[in-house]
Amino acid sequence: AQKVTQAQTEISVVEKEDVTLDCVYETRDTTYYLFWYKQPPSGELVFLIRRNSFDEQNEISGRYSWNFQKSTSSFNFTITASQVVDSAVYFCALSGKGTYKYIFGTGTRLKVLA
Amino acid sequence: GAGVSQSPSNKVTEKGKDVELRCDPISGHTALYWYRQSLGQGLEFLIYFQGNSAPDKSGLPSDRFSAERTGGSVSTLTIQRTQQEDSAVYLCASSLDWGAGNTIYFGEGSWLTVV
């Protein structure tokens, strides 16, 4: 069975702090894909990144970076120098080869305080 | 359109009434998905379409829920005899093709409140 766990329900940080959102996944597939989505207060889920299971290279996009470690089945997301606009619920998701279902974690609510 | 479009954005209905939620996917996207998000909860998969076909409807919570897609484009999610537990945000998403690895793009959702 596939499963995504986001153990952090809510995180509060002060602006300019760095913050890491954890994502742990379970799958028996050897080929799979991991995603992060951001859901701001407006409600629409915004796609942030997709990573396939064969690419463990970390990725950086501006203040965002992702750390994929197959050894620990984790795909963590770090925001550097957080800003108030980063306040949102962040979802991690998993999709296995040959499946149409995208399994989402329960999300982490990030509050960045000015 | 440029993104996934859903309507209505907000719907308040009386218990027992039927509701229809509409989704217009990104042009050219063959796969379409419906998810439900209850207040403060994660995303619950409901149904998926490949073209006009829904290979798996097992995610639908009860037989009061149904969905269809026509012309490989617009989809309608229908909830009959609504109950208060149906109150949630119903999210539609689409992807270029089906299967793992295809990025799914979400609409803004339809917020349903059953009173």
Side-chain angles (χ1 to χ4, degrees), chain A residues 48-89:
Chain A
L48 295 178
I49 189 171
R50 181 187 77 179
R51 179 51 51 94
N52 74 57
S53 53
F54 297 106
D55 183 4
E56 288 193 72
Q57 194 169 17
N58 291 334
E59 181 154 341
I60 298 174
S61 176
R63 296 184 296 106
Y64 295 171
S65 62
W66 290 269
N67 183 288
F68 175 33
Q69 291 193 339
K70 291 179 74 171
S71 60
T72 56
S73 297
S74 65
F75 186 43
N76 296 337
F77 173 29
T78 297
I79 301 174
T80 302
S82 60
Q83 299 177 2
V84 173
V85 294
D86 296 327
S87 296
V89 180

Side-chain angles (χ1 to χ4, degrees), chain A residues 37 39 44 50 95-96 100 102, chain B residues 35 37 56 99-102 104:
Chain A
Y37 287 83
Q39 187 178 40
E44 181 176 358
R50 181 187 77 179
S95 178
Y100 49 82
Y102 294 74
Chain B
Y35 282 82
Q37 184 179 24
D56 186 351
N102 280 277
I104 58 175

